[in-house]
């Protein structure tokens, strides 16, 4: 049996035998033509279907049977095409739709940039635009992706590799950025000079010429490592670098009180909570407490939020803690030790990194008005070099 | 068909154990319930009406009776009839 679609493609008609000898017609037609769905209609007339080609070959048979036909229905592709050719606008619309679909699918709709951290995506997009990769560009106007990638890589100096992949209407540009060494600030020629009067304990010159030696006494402003190297006419200015450490003396006057005041919490506390509406607070709980004589208040504010959106509502909790101050009497020795410890800390902080206290000497000590007053000399080993730029003399 | 040929065919069918319809061009009627009937090896339509269909055979004829008969498909060898089939009659 032939498929229905085959008959549909060829086209067929439903025919009614209006008059004539049906049996005679059938006997001949069945052997010569291809008929199907042969039956009788309600009015007793023969109805059958025949393919379009056979319909025209049926005529001599009809004449011999003295039969007349009436076409009931035309079906199939040839008739549909004829109908379509009459509806020109519809046909044009159908064609137009297919054409538009094709046209739109040849456009580049989306350009995506991947793998960039330092190079801004906009810069890559601009470079791509210069090579013809931009949204609403025709696909057929683009070059081969590997060629495009090569040209893009030339346009992007910060990229070590560029890949261009086209999938349908989307172009993905993958960029691998080249790693760059850290940039150092520019330095001008300089000397290293002494920050204070000191005795040099260690000098290491990485660059430049050392002017002093270990155990030399230096005054403030003396050149330690010179940035001018060479002799006579053959001199050159360099950026001197190095480490110079020396013993430096600091005299400290320390005033240490004999009584100290310390703060402590008693553990008693009151909580008050508020409801925040806009910028107003409504106290909800924590009424009716006796206020403390001395207290400290800690507060905690919480705003309600939904996702990223902060609501104009919130909760505000105040914790009032009772505080007592305690006074403690110190002996002179304790006050002295506390004062010295404090002085050492301050000194080390002021002397810079790597400073070490080598010796300390108590010069003078006396007590007056409830305070211990000390004069102490500290001997500190610390870095004594500071930079001084070399200013070129104008001849 | 000449007598000799028919005898030879009969003999072949017996020896090789073949179905008779294949060898002797006999009609083969397949009926599905009372709604569909296939006749193979017919020799043309003699008469067709909603109540009966008479088909020519190699020998004699075959009549299908029923109501609202429709020839769904007809070829040189095969007929497919649909409708309410009430009887199949073979005439020699």
């Amino acid at each position: 049996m032939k498929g229905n679609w085959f008959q549909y493609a060829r086209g067929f008609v439903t025919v009614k035998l209006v008059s004539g000898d049906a049996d005679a017609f059938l006997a001949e037609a069945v052997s010569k033509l291809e008929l199907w769905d042969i039956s009788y209609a309600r009015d007793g007339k023969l109805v059958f279907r025949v393919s379009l080609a056979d319909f025209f070959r049926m005529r001599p048979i009809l004449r011999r049977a003295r039969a007349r036909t009436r076409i009931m229905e035309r079906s199939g592709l040839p008739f549909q095409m004829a109908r379509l050719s009459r509806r020109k606008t519809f046909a044009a619309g159908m064609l137009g739709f297919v054409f538009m679909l094709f046209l739109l699918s040849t456009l580049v709709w989306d350009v995506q940039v991947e793998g960039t951290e330092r190079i801004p995506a906009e810069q890559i997009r601009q470079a791509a635009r210069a090579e013809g990769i931009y949204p609403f560009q025709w696909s057929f106007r683009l070059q081969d992706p590997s060629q495009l990638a090569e040209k893009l890589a030339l346009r992007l100096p910060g990229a070590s590799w560029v890949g261009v992949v086209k999938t349908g209407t989307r172009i993905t540009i993958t960029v691998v950025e080249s790693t760059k060494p850290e940039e150092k600030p520019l330095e001008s020629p300089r000397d290293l000079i002494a920050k204070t009067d000191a005795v040099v304990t260690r000098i290491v010159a990485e660059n430049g010429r050392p002017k002093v030696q270990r155990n030399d006494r230096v005054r403030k402003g003396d050149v330690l490592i010179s940035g001018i190297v060479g002799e006579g006419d053959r001199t050159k200015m360099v950026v001197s670098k190095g480490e110079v450490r020396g013993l430096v003396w600091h005299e400290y006057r320390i005033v240490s009180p004999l009584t100290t005041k310390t703060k402590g919490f008693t553990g008693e506390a009151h909580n008050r909570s508020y409801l925040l509406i806009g910028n107003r607070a409504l106290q909800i709980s924590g009424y009716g407490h006796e206020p403390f004589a001395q207290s400290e208040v800690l507060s905690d504010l919480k705003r309600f939020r939904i996702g990223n959106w902060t609501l104009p509502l919130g909760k505000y909790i105040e914790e009032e803690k009772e505080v007592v101050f305690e006074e403690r009497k110190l002996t002179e020795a304790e006050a002295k030790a506390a004062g010295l410890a404090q002085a050492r800390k301050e000194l080390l902080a002021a002397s810079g990194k790597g400073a070490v206290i080598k010796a300390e000497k108590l010069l003078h000590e006396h007590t007056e008005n409830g305070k211990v007053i000390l004069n102490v000399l500290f001997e500190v080993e610390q870095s004594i070099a500071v930079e001084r730029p070399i200013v070129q003399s104008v001849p | 068909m000449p007598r000799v040929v028919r005898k030879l065919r009969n003999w072949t069918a017996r020896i090789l154990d073949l179905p008779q319809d294949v060898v002797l061009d006999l009609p083969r009627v397949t009926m599905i319930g009372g709604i569909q009937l296939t006749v193979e090896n017919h020799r043309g339509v003699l008469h067709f009406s909603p109540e009966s269909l008479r088909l020519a055979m190699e020998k004699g004829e075959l009549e299908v009776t029923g109501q609202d008969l429709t020839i769904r498909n007809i070829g040189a060898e095969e007929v497919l009839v649909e409708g309410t089939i009430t009887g199949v009659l073979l005439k020699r």
Side-chain angles (χ1 to χ4, degrees):
Chain A
M1 277 247 316
K2 282 161 198 156
N4 221 13
W5 63 269
F6 188 74
Q7 286 161 350
Y8 176 84
R10 282 202 305 176
F12 59 92
V13 285
T14 308
V15 181
K16 192 186 236 182
L17 214 65
V18 187
S19 66
D21 188 353
D23 279 344
F25 167 76
L26 264 185
E28 199 177 350
V30 158
S31 58
K32 287 179 180 166
L33 310 173
E34 195 184 327
L35 309 182
W36 67 93
D37 287 358
I38 308 164
S39 63
Y40 281 90
R42 295 217 174 273
D43 56 0
K45 302 275 188 339
L46 190 72
V47 177
F48 57 89
R49 285 182 168 160
V50 63
S51 72
L52 202 55
D54 279 352
F55 178 75
F56 294 108
R57 261 184 274 153
M58 200 169 69
R59 291 178 101 183
I61 303 170
L62 285 172
R63 202 174 308 133
R64 258 168 265 150
R66 282 170 211 203
R68 283 176 169 279
T69 56
R70 179 168 297 153
I71 290 167
M72 307 294 287
E73 196 186 332
R74 299 172 175 91
S75 348
L77 204 61
F79 297 109
Q80 292 242 311
M81 290 309 283
R83 226 167 290 157
L84 207 63
S85 70
R86 253 172 281 141
R87 298 174 195 164
K88 292 228 168 54
T89 332
F90 180 72
M94 228 161 89
L95 271 177
F97 170 75
V98 172
F99 183 68
M100 280 297 283
L101 206 68
F102 171 73
L103 218 62
L104 292 180
S105 69
T106 59
L107 283 177
V108 172
W109 282 94
D110 193 13
V111 177
Q112 287 192 334
V113 178
E114 276 179 5
T116 56
E117 272 169 29
R118 264 175 291 120
I119 307 174
E122 195 44 47
Q123 193 190 331
I124 291 161
R125 260 179 240 279
Q126 248 169 18
R129 181 170 285 272
E131 287 302 336
I133 307 173
Y134 50 85
F136 309 119
Q137 163 75 301
W138 299 107
S139 283
F140 53 77
R141 287 184 59 186
L142 288 177
Q143 285 166 299
D144 190 54
S146 58
Q147 271 186 325
L148 278 175
E150 240 169 72
K151 288 188 176 177
L152 265 181
L154 286 179
R155 280 181 189 272
L156 298 167
S160 59
W161 182 84
V162 178
V164 176
V165 177
K166 183 173 178 293
T167 36
T169 59
R170 169 182 299 169
I171 286 185
T172 311
I173 301 171
T174 313
V175 177
V176 177
E177 289 172 339
S178 48
T179 46
K180 275 186 181 170
E182 257 179 69
E183 273 189 29
K184 285 181 187 166
L186 292 173
E187 288 170 326
S188 52
R190 66 191 182 196
D191 290 330
L192 291 183
I193 60 164
K195 197 170 11 179
T196 52
D197 297 0
V199 172
V200 176
T201 55
R202 177 184 158 83
I203 176 161
V204 179
E206 281 173 43
N207 208 4
R209 203 164 49 156
K211 287 281 198 183
V212 291
Q213 284 184 334
R214 202 168 159 230
N215 297 332
D216 279 0
R217 282 187 77 93
V218 290
R219 300 209 145 265
K220 185 179 178 179
D222 283 358
V223 175
L224 302 171
I225 300 173
S226 171
I228 299 168
V229 291
E231 298 269 335
D233 296 337
R234 301 185 172 185
T235 56
K236 192 185 165 192
M237 282 180 290
V238 296
V239 180
S240 56
K241 258 185 225 168
E243 192 199 4
V244 186
R245 289 171 74 85
L247 286 176
V248 183
W249 297 271
H250 297 271
E251 198 182 325
Y252 259 67
R253 184 183 144 89
I254 300 158
V255 179
S256 185
L258 281 170
T259 56
T260 58
K261 235 183 178 184
T262 53
K263 189 178 85 174
F265 293 114
T266 60
E268 291 293 313
H270 296 324
N271 276 340
R272 286 190 294 270
S273 59
Y274 299 84
L275 177 69
L276 282 183
I277 302 162
N279 56 359
R280 281 161 201 280
L282 179 71
Q283 192 175 352
I284 306 170
S285 70
Y287 286 105
H289 288 299
E290 285 285 315
F292 295 121
Q294 275 172 321
S295 65
E296 232 182 58
V297 174
L298 301 174
S299 61
D300 180 30
L301 176 71
K302 266 182 194 149
R303 284 201 176 273
F304 299 131
R305 48 174 63 237
I306 302 171
N308 265 344
W309 182 43
T310 310
L311 294 177
L313 292 172
K315 197 177 166 192
Y316 179 67
I317 297 171
E318 263 186 357
E319 192 178 14
E320 189 179 357
K321 287 181 169 177
E322 194 183 17
V323 168
V324 282
F325 289 97
E326 224 177 304
E327 271 195 8
R328 205 155 73 85
K329 288 240 185 263
L330 297 175
T331 60
E332 269 183 45
E334 278 173 337
K336 195 172 122 185
L340 279 173
Q342 179 67 23
R344 275 186 217 119
K345 268 186 206 165
E346 277 175 28
L347 180 62
L348 286 178
S351 302
K353 223 169 101 181
V356 183
I357 294 171
K358 285 286 179 187
E360 56 185 61
K361 198 170 182 184
L362 201 63
L363 299 177
H364 183 70
E365 175 187 355
H366 70 112
T367 311
E368 71 178 32
N369 297 336
K371 288 171 192 161
V372 177
I373 298 168
L374 303 163
N375 270 14
V376 190
L377 184 74
F378 288 105
E379 197 177 280
V380 181
E381 193 193 4
Q382 65 177 90
S383 172
I384 55 168
V386 285
E387 293 159 12
R388 185 180 67 183
I390 301 171
V391 179
Q392 238 162 343
S393 56
V394 184
Chain B
M1 218 183 283
R3 225 175 87 100
V4 185
V5 176
R6 194 180 305 151
K7 284 225 160 176
L8 188 69
R9 287 199 174 192
N10 251 329
W11 179 81
T12 323
R14 226 179 36 243
I15 291 297
L16 298 177
D17 207 9
L18 288 170
Q20 299 273 314
D21 62 310
V22 177
V23 188
L24 299 174
D25 275 347
L26 295 175
R28 183 194 180 103
V29 182
T30 315
M31 185 153 89
I32 300 166
I35 53 167
Q36 204 181 55
L37 184 91
T38 314
V39 182
E40 285 162 72
N41 283 329
H42 71 91
R43 291 287 173 266
V45 180
L46 295 173
H47 170 76
F48 177 53
S49 71
E51 284 78 35
S52 87
L53 168 68
R54 285 201 295 140
L55 294 166
M57 288 294 139
E58 187 71 34
K59 266 168 111 184
E61 57 184 65
L62 185 142
E63 186 174 6
V64 182
T65 52
Q67 276 118 45
D68 303 326
L69 294 180
T70 303
I71 302 174
R72 197 49 73 202
N73 209 333
I74 183 159
E77 299 268 281
E78 198 180 300
V79 196
L80 178 66
V81 188
E82 277 184 7
T84 320
I85 297 157
T86 53
V88 180
L89 200 67
L90 272 167
K91 292 173 188 170
R92 292 268 176 178

PDB file of all heavy atoms in Angstrom, chain A residues 1, chain B residues 36-39 70-75 78-82:
ATOM      1  N   MET A   1       0.843  -1.207   0.000  1.00  0.00           N
ATOM      2  CA  MET A   1       0.000   0.000   0.000  1.00  0.00           C
ATOM      3  C   MET A   1       0.871   1.246   0.000  1.00  0.00           C
ATOM      4  O   MET A   1       1.859   1.323   0.711  1.00  0.00           O
ATOM      5  CB  MET A   1      -0.882   0.017   1.253  1.00  0.00           C
ATOM      6  CG  MET A   1      -2.104  -0.809   1.092  1.00  0.00           C
ATOM      7  SD  MET A   1      -3.693  -0.054   1.044  1.00  0.00           S
ATOM      8  CE  MET A   1      -3.832   1.154   2.285  1.00  0.00           C
TER       9      MET A   1
ATOM     10  N   GLN B  36     -13.948  -6.244   8.077  1.00  0.00           N
ATOM     11  CA  GLN B  36     -12.937  -6.032   7.047  1.00  0.00           C
ATOM     12  C   GLN B  36     -12.659  -7.347   6.337  1.00  0.00           C
ATOM     13  O   GLN B  36     -12.576  -8.392   6.983  1.00  0.00           O
ATOM     14  CB  GLN B  36     -11.654  -5.489   7.679  1.00  0.00           C
ATOM     15  CG  GLN B  36     -10.813  -4.728   6.696  1.00  0.00           C
ATOM     16  CD  GLN B  36      -9.541  -4.217   7.359  1.00  0.00           C
ATOM     17  OE1 GLN B  36      -8.795  -5.004   7.930  1.00  0.00           O
ATOM     18  NE2 GLN B  36      -9.320  -2.922   7.287  1.00  0.00           N
ATOM     19  N   LEU B  37     -12.503  -7.289   5.035  1.00  0.00           N
ATOM     20  CA  LEU B  37     -12.296  -8.505   4.259  1.00  0.00           C
ATOM     21  C   LEU B  37     -11.294  -8.214   3.154  1.00  0.00           C
ATOM     22  O   LEU B  37     -11.401  -7.208   2.455  1.00  0.00           O
ATOM     23  CB  LEU B  37     -13.631  -8.944   3.632  1.00  0.00           C
ATOM     24  CG  LEU B  37     -13.615 -10.256   2.868  1.00  0.00           C
ATOM     25  CD1 LEU B  37     -13.957 -11.390   3.810  1.00  0.00           C
ATOM     26  CD2 LEU B  37     -14.602 -10.204   1.734  1.00  0.00           C
ATOM     27  N   THR B  38     -10.332  -9.102   3.010  1.00  0.00           N
ATOM     28  CA  THR B  38      -9.356  -8.960   1.935  1.00  0.00           C
ATOM     29  C   THR B  38      -9.472 -10.170   1.022  1.00  0.00           C
ATOM     30  O   THR B  38      -9.492 -11.305   1.498  1.00  0.00           O
ATOM     31  CB  THR B  38      -7.926  -8.893   2.506  1.00  0.00           C
ATOM     32  OG1 THR B  38      -7.923  -8.005   3.601  1.00  0.00           O
ATOM     33  CG2 THR B  38      -6.939  -8.424   1.469  1.00  0.00           C
ATOM     34  N   VAL B  39      -9.583  -9.916  -0.266  1.00  0.00           N
ATOM     35  CA  VAL B  39      -9.620 -11.010  -1.238  1.00  0.00           C
ATOM     36  C   VAL B  39      -8.414 -10.850  -2.144  1.00  0.00           C
ATOM     37  O   VAL B  39      -8.211  -9.789  -2.744  1.00  0.00           O
ATOM     38  CB  VAL B  39     -10.912 -10.977  -2.080  1.00  0.00           C
ATOM     39  CG1 VAL B  39     -10.936 -12.157  -3.042  1.00  0.00           C
ATOM     40  CG2 VAL B  39     -12.126 -10.981  -1.191  1.00  0.00           C
ATOM     41  N   THR B  70     -17.852  -0.739   1.448  1.00  0.00           N
ATOM     42  CA  THR B  70     -16.964   0.250   0.839  1.00  0.00           C
ATOM     43  C   THR B  70     -15.720  -0.478   0.366  1.00  0.00           C
ATOM     44  O   THR B  70     -15.166  -1.288   1.109  1.00  0.00           O
ATOM     45  CB  THR B  70     -16.547   1.319   1.870  1.00  0.00           C
ATOM     46  OG1 THR B  70     -17.728   1.906   2.391  1.00  0.00           O
ATOM     47  CG2 THR B  70     -15.680   2.383   1.265  1.00  0.00           C
ATOM     48  N   ILE B  71     -15.322  -0.215  -0.880  1.00  0.00           N
ATOM     49  CA  ILE B  71     -14.046  -0.771  -1.341  1.00  0.00           C
ATOM     50  C   ILE B  71     -12.972   0.226  -0.922  1.00  0.00           C
ATOM     51  O   ILE B  71     -12.852   1.315  -1.491  1.00  0.00           O
ATOM     52  CB  ILE B  71     -14.034  -0.971  -2.858  1.00  0.00           C
ATOM     53  CG1 ILE B  71     -15.182  -1.912  -3.265  1.00  0.00           C
ATOM     54  CG2 ILE B  71     -12.701  -1.556  -3.297  1.00  0.00           C
ATOM     55  CD1 ILE B  71     -15.348  -2.066  -4.753  1.00  0.00           C
ATOM     56  N   ARG B  72     -12.272  -0.138   0.125  1.00  0.00           N
ATOM     57  CA  ARG B  72     -11.261   0.786   0.660  1.00  0.00           C
ATOM     58  C   ARG B  72     -10.107   0.919  -0.322  1.00  0.00           C
ATOM     59  O   ARG B  72      -9.545   1.981  -0.509  1.00  0.00           O
ATOM     60  CB  ARG B  72     -10.801   0.226   2.018  1.00  0.00           C
ATOM     61  CG  ARG B  72     -10.086   1.153   2.947  1.00  0.00           C
ATOM     62  CD  ARG B  72     -10.709   2.487   3.189  1.00  0.00           C
ATOM     63  NE  ARG B  72     -11.896   2.480   4.031  1.00  0.00           N
ATOM     64  CZ  ARG B  72     -12.812   3.456   4.014  1.00  0.00           C
ATOM     65  NH1 ARG B  72     -12.691   4.472   3.176  1.00  0.00           N
ATOM     66  NH2 ARG B  72     -13.843   3.413   4.807  1.00  0.00           N
ATOM     67  N   ASN B  73      -9.754  -0.195  -0.915  1.00  0.00           N
ATOM     68  CA  ASN B  73      -8.609  -0.200  -1.813  1.00  0.00           C
ATOM     69  C   ASN B  73      -8.796  -1.326  -2.816  1.00  0.00           C
ATOM     70  O   ASN B  73      -9.255  -2.405  -2.473  1.00  0.00           O
ATOM     71  CB  ASN B  73      -7.331  -0.452  -0.999  1.00  0.00           C
ATOM     72  CG  ASN B  73      -6.136   0.211  -1.659  1.00  0.00           C
ATOM     73  OD1 ASN B  73      -6.120   0.396  -2.874  1.00  0.00           O
ATOM     74  ND2 ASN B  73      -5.153   0.553  -0.848  1.00  0.00           N
ATOM     75  N   ILE B  74      -8.434  -1.067  -4.046  1.00  0.00           N
ATOM     76  CA  ILE B  74      -8.540  -2.150  -5.031  1.00  0.00           C
ATOM     77  C   ILE B  74      -7.339  -2.102  -5.952  1.00  0.00           C
ATOM     78  O   ILE B  74      -6.926  -1.044  -6.427  1.00  0.00           O
ATOM     79  CB  ILE B  74      -9.869  -2.078  -5.814  1.00  0.00           C
ATOM     80  CG1 ILE B  74      -9.977  -3.269  -6.780  1.00  0.00           C
ATOM     81  CG2 ILE B  74     -10.026  -0.773  -6.566  1.00  0.00           C
ATOM     82  CD1 ILE B  74     -11.398  -3.563  -7.197  1.00  0.00           C
ATOM     83  N   GLY B  75      -6.719  -3.257  -6.148  1.00  0.00           N
ATOM     84  CA  GLY B  75      -5.582  -3.350  -7.060  1.00  0.00           C
ATOM     85  C   GLY B  75      -5.837  -4.458  -8.050  1.00  0.00           C
ATOM     86  O   GLY B  75      -6.927  -5.025  -8.088  1.00  0.00           O
ATOM     87  N   GLU B  78      -5.767  -7.560  -5.526  1.00  0.00           N
ATOM     88  CA  GLU B  78      -6.232  -7.555  -4.155  1.00  0.00           C
ATOM     89  C   GLU B  78      -7.371  -6.563  -3.981  1.00  0.00           C
ATOM     90  O   GLU B  78      -7.351  -5.484  -4.571  1.00  0.00           O
ATOM     91  CB  GLU B  78      -5.047  -7.137  -3.265  1.00  0.00           C
ATOM     92  CG  GLU B  78      -5.217  -7.472  -1.823  1.00  0.00           C
ATOM     93  CD  GLU B  78      -4.004  -7.015  -1.053  1.00  0.00           C
ATOM     94  OE1 GLU B  78      -2.886  -7.482  -1.350  1.00  0.00           O
ATOM     95  OE2 GLU B  78      -4.171  -6.169  -0.156  1.00  0.00           O
ATOM     96  N   VAL B  79      -8.351  -6.923  -3.197  1.00  0.00           N
ATOM     97  CA  VAL B  79      -9.439  -5.993  -2.855  1.00  0.00           C
ATOM     98  C   VAL B  79      -9.557  -5.946  -1.339  1.00  0.00           C
ATOM     99  O   VAL B  79      -9.486  -6.978  -0.680  1.00  0.00           O
ATOM    100  CB  VAL B  79     -10.803  -6.449  -3.408  1.00  0.00           C
ATOM    101  CG1 VAL B  79     -11.798  -5.302  -3.377  1.00  0.00           C
ATOM    102  CG2 VAL B  79     -10.683  -7.008  -4.792  1.00  0.00           C
ATOM    103  N   LEU B  80      -9.734  -4.743  -0.803  1.00  0.00           N
ATOM    104  CA  LEU B  80      -9.978  -4.590   0.632  1.00  0.00           C
ATOM    105  C   LEU B  80     -11.374  -3.990   0.784  1.00  0.00           C
ATOM    106  O   LEU B  80     -11.631  -2.885   0.318  1.00  0.00           O
ATOM    107  CB  LEU B  80      -8.922  -3.680   1.253  1.00  0.00           C
ATOM    108  CG  LEU B  80      -9.065  -3.389   2.743  1.00  0.00           C
ATOM    109  CD1 LEU B  80      -8.856  -4.648   3.557  1.00  0.00           C
ATOM    110  CD2 LEU B  80      -8.083  -2.314   3.168  1.00  0.00           C
ATOM    111  N   VAL B  81     -12.285  -4.755   1.413  1.00  0.00           N
ATOM    112  CA  VAL B  81     -13.670  -4.311   1.573  1.00  0.00           C
ATOM    113  C   VAL B  81     -13.908  -4.031   3.043  1.00  0.00           C
ATOM    114  O   VAL B  81     -13.471  -4.799   3.910  1.00  0.00           O
ATOM    115  CB  VAL B  81     -14.656  -5.388   1.081  1.00  0.00           C
ATOM    116  CG1 VAL B  81     -16.071  -4.850   1.067  1.00  0.00           C
ATOM    117  CG2 VAL B  81     -14.263  -5.871  -0.302  1.00  0.00           C
ATOM    118  N   GLU B  82     -14.606  -2.923   3.323  1.00  0.00           N
ATOM    119  CA  GLU B  82     -14.979  -2.611   4.700  1.00  0.00           C
ATOM    120  C   GLU B  82     -16.486  -2.426   4.771  1.00  0.00           C
ATOM    121  O   GLU B  82     -17.126  -2.102   3.775  1.00  0.00           O
ATOM    122  CB  GLU B  82     -14.251  -1.364   5.177  1.00  0.00           C
ATOM    123  CG  GLU B  82     -12.852  -1.646   5.659  1.00  0.00           C
ATOM    124  CD  GLU B  82     -12.172  -0.424   6.219  1.00  0.00           C
ATOM    125  OE1 GLU B  82     -12.844   0.623   6.357  1.00  0.00           O
ATOM    126  OE2 GLU B  82     -10.987  -0.528   6.489  1.00  0.00           O
TER     127      GLU B  82
END
